[in-house]
Amino acid sequence: ERLPIASVSKLMTVLAASQLLPDSTIIPFSRRHYRIKDLVALTLVSSSNQGALALATATQETVGRDLVAEMNIEAKLLGLDQTIFANSTGLDLADGQAGSYSSAYDIARLFTYILSVRPELLAATKFEEIETSTIEGLRRRFQNTNDIIRDLPGLLASKTGFTDLAEGSLVIAF
C-alpha cells in the first residue's frame, strides 16, 4: 500500500545526489562548507531537512539537474512502482499532501539496493552519534534520530521519519 514516508525519503535524496555530484563536491550548509560524504552522513543520521535541501541546491547549481526529478527517475529505474517524491525532505506539503509516498515493499527494495551498491552512504546510520568536520575545520556532533540503536545488535543501517501525515516511519537492516 502506498503511504507517506516522511524523512525515509532522504534515502533516495542521498542516493540520487551522490550519483550526480562528484565525490570532491564541497557544499555550503549552515554557514559552513562540508564534503558531500559528511553532508550525506549528517543528513541521514540527524534527518536534517536543511541538509537535504543543501544537496538539492548543490545538484542544481553544480550539474544543472533537479534533484527531485532525478529521485523520481531513479525510483522508476529501480522498479519502485509505489514510490513518488514531491520534495527532497519528505516534509508534508502546504496543501495537505505528503512530500513523498512509497510502500514497505519499495522501501525495503531501495534500502537493500543502497546497502548492496553504495553501503558507504548508510554507514553512519548505525551510530547513536557522529562527528563531522567542516572544510573550515570545525568539528560538529549530530545525534541519530533512531533512539533505539543501542538495542539493535547486528545493526547495519537505519533511517527514521516523522511527519503529521506519515506519523512514524522506520527502516532497519540487520
Side-chain angles (χ1 to χ4, degrees), residues 30-69:
S30 190
R31 296 182 298 197
R32 302 283 185 213
H33 295 84
Y34 287 82
R35 289 173 187 81
I36 187 173
K37 71 178 181 65
D38 293 323
L39 186 58
V40 162
L42 77 85
T43 297
L44 289 179
V45 168
S46 68
S47 204
S48 173
N49 295 318
Q50 292 77 18
L53 292 170
L55 288 166
T57 300
T59 302
Q60 183 66 53
E61 292 176 355
T62 304
V63 295
R65 306 280 279 279
D66 178 87
L67 183 59
V68 177

Side-chain angles (χ1 to χ4, degrees), residues 10 17 24 36 42 49-51 63 69 85 99 114 120 122 124 141:
K10 291 178 180 90
S24 60
I36 187 173
L42 77 85
N49 295 318
Q50 292 77 18
V63 295
F85 302 97
I114 297 171
E120 72 279 5
L122 300 175
R141 292 182 179 272

